[in-house]
Amino acid sequence: MKNKNKKFPDGFLWGAATAAHQVEGGSRNDWSEWEKKNAKRLASEAKTKWAKWQQKKFPEMFDPENYISGRACDHYNRYEEDLDIAKSLGLNAFRISIEWSRIEPEEGKFDEKEIEHYRKVLKAIRARGMEPFVTLWHYTLPVWFSRKGGWENKKSPDYFKRYSAKIVKEFSDDVIFWLTFNEPILIIGGGYIKGYRPPQKHNIFEAFRVYKNLIKAHKLAYAEIHKKKPQAMVGFTEWLNFFDNRNGIFQTGFLLFLAKHFTNEYLIKQTIGHLDFIGAQHYMRVPFSLSALLHEEKYQENDMGRQIVPEGMYYILMDLKKYNLPIYITENGIPDAKDRKRAGFIKNYLFHVHKAIREGVDVRGYFHWSFLDNFEWDKGFWPRFGLVEMDYKTMERKVRPSALEYAKICKNNYLET
Ligand code: BGC
């Protein structure tokens, strides 16, 4: 019965997200260098890192080749075919990132051929009736930039400004929605505090320096983009945890405040006034009270052992309401190689997106992560996040059944209930 369905606002954007290094193939940047140095170690650590069931299900995690991005999905050459699939699924938006190391392989020297490549990609997205969302920096750095100390370098905001200015000059006619960065908090946490990804540091002072430089870089890029195109919409994406302290017997007020402040909130608060929207990305529940800890077993897990907690999305969105900014969910997804849980995941999470919209949160779009199976950073290729399945040997793409379920929602602009 149609009137019972959960209708989304008119003009809602339905998309899928990708990132250059994870799908394009053939990159040469700080990550590709890091992969070469760390592939063997990562393969040998898999034995202690993953549960027995995961090791059995994904034996490729023991192969060093799994950790080399190599030709990835060859999306660089096959983007037309991929965008045709996206269109056939009824998507009206598509998220890509531009690979900085292709555009500026040497300091201050821009590669016009690569600019032309991305121009074609953007036109191909538009030609298929989709709105492009463009990330300027999704984790990977040109080698020259990382050799200069990356985001620790005090000139890093200026380097980023120069790159952004060039991109915006070239593409401002084709793009309205810009994301300066992807998940700065993971860069800081993963690269400078826990140190499991490049540049593999464990230094809180450097982490703060990077925080500061990223904020400055965002503001500079924000100004550049608006100078060229005042009506552009500029934001960044942030990794937002659901800190679950429901029914807290043992309340963790101050700790919770700190955890939320330094992960979900700090960068958003520091950039207010230089943000036209929030790019919300949600994957994880973090139990934050004794009773939440005690209820661990209630949740199903995905292939990476992360819990599936659809109501987390509702809490995240309600928390963002205070900023009074439009919200686009720029990532939310599940590694699920057998595609048994993905359709349910999408519907249940969207149920909670809809609930938040009904309660006044200004959510204007949802991008599923990911469009294609892809290279999952330090985990390599075994986690399968795609609406579209990849055969990495033949490069054949296969639309998963869950993608067809998602397509129904995108085409109808409502969720059947
Ligand atoms: C990142 C993606 C990543 C995804 C799944 C997000 O944090 O933006 O690049 O593949 O999570 O783990």
Side-chain angles (χ1 to χ4, degrees), residues 2-21:
K2 196 165 171 190
N3 56 359
K4 273 191 143 181
N5 293 329
K6 310 237 166 295
K7 180 157 178 1
F8 282 77
D10 291 338
F12 197 81
L13 292 183
W14 293 104
T18 61
H21 185 74

Side-chain angles (χ1 to χ4, degrees), residues 198-259:
Q200 275 192 297
K201 300 208 169 167
H202 305 270
N203 186 322
I204 193 84
F205 299 104
E206 274 164 355
F208 269 102
R209 200 173 315 141
V210 172
Y211 247 137
K212 249 183 52 208
N213 285 338
L214 286 175
I215 290 166
K216 197 163 164 207
H218 170 82
K219 290 181 180 172
L220 290 173
Y222 181 91
E224 282 303 314
I225 299 171
H226 277 287
K227 199 161 78 190
K228 184 79 190 143
K229 190 163 184 166
Q231 70 275 34
M233 294 285 283
V234 186
F236 62 87
T237 79
E238 193 50 293
W239 167 277
L240 301 167
N241 282 325
F242 166 41
F243 291 103
D244 188 356
N245 73 333
R246 289 172 295 176
N247 318 314
I249 299 168
F250 162 58
Q251 280 299 350
T252 40
F254 186 61
L255 280 182
L256 179 63
F257 165 81
L258 284 182

Side-chain angles (χ1 to χ4, degrees), residues 129-145:
M130 295 184 283
E131 185 68 44
F133 271 54
V134 176
T135 316
L136 287 170
W137 174 57
H138 197 122
Y139 297 166
T140 47
L141 298 173
V143 173
W144 65 263
F145 181 88

Side-chain angles (χ1 to χ4, degrees), residues 341-371:
K341 298 175 182 163
R342 188 174 286 101
F345 174 101
I346 293 176
K347 289 179 191 167
N348 293 334
Y349 276 73
L350 284 175
F351 175 92
H352 286 280
V353 174
H354 188 269
K355 186 171 168 203
I357 295 176
R358 241 182 26 228
E359 294 181 28
V361 186
D362 186 9
V363 185
R364 300 189 184 177
Y366 173 89
F367 290 74
H368 191 74
W369 182 270
S370 178
F371 178 64

